Amino acid sequence: MDIYAAIGIAAVGAALAVIIKQYKPEYALAVSLSTGVVIMYIALKTVYPVLSDLDYILKATNMQSAYIEVLLKSLGICFITQLAADACRDSGQGAIAAKVEMVGKAAILVISMPLFRALLNLAMKIMGR
């Protein structure tokens, strides 16, 4: 399973970062970032079969793909935002990490607006307006 590989890489990367930080703190951040990117790759590779299953379900049910697109884009923004915020925190920049998370939330809100409009229109049709 890929989870074991991710856990192993995380453990080795964390140990290397701690050891390297004692001698070359600037390299410890690079090790942490590299480890995070590799783990993210493993996560995306693991999720890829689910995406093909979602595509099959969409075609079978004739559901609008826009709904799933919003979900997948939001999920991608969450992953990238979390990775960036964690990298900022690892380098001691908690304030910047908070701003990165705020921008990620705003991006999800922007992406979700067409879906909110569609739900509002549906609710207004149901209410007869």
Side-chain angles (χ1 to χ4, degrees), residues 54-129:
L54 280 175
D55 185 48
Y56 172 77
I57 291 169
L58 282 174
K59 289 178 182 174
T61 60
N62 290 329
M63 184 188 294
Q64 290 183 359
S65 63
Y67 301 133
I68 299 298
E69 285 179 18
V70 169
L71 175 70
L72 294 177
K73 286 179 182 179
S74 297
L75 187 61
I77 289 170
C78 286
F79 284 148
I80 292 169
T81 301
Q82 188 66 48
L83 183 65
D86 288 344
C88 291
R89 280 191 195 89
D90 287 346
S91 65
Q93 300 298 320
I96 295 174
K99 304 309 183 277
V100 168
E101 289 173 342
M102 183 180 66
V103 169
K105 291 172 186 175
I108 290 172
L109 180 64
V110 168
I111 287 174
S112 302
M113 283 310 294
L115 186 59
F116 288 137
R117 283 191 199 111
L119 287 173
L120 179 63
N121 289 336
L122 179 63
M124 291 179 78
K125 283 181 186 178
I126 290 172
M127 293 179 359
R129 293 184 182 187

Side-chain angles (χ1 to χ4, degrees), residues 1-64:
M1 280 188 107
D2 289 336
I3 186 70
Y4 299 120
I7 290 170
I9 290 169
V12 170
L16 279 174
V18 168
I19 292 169
I20 291 173
K21 191 173 187 175
Q22 296 173 4
Y23 303 105
K24 295 279 188 177
E26 60 275 7
Y27 293 145
L29 179 61
V31 170
S32 295
L33 286 174
S34 301
T35 303
V37 168
V38 170
I39 292 171
M40 184 67 76
Y41 172 76
I42 291 170
L44 292 175
K45 190 175 79 170
T46 303
V47 171
Y48 184 75
V50 175
L51 298 178
S52 63
D53 287 344
L54 280 175
D55 185 48
Y56 172 77
I57 291 169
L58 282 174
K59 289 178 182 174
T61 60
N62 290 329
M63 184 188 294
Q64 290 183 359

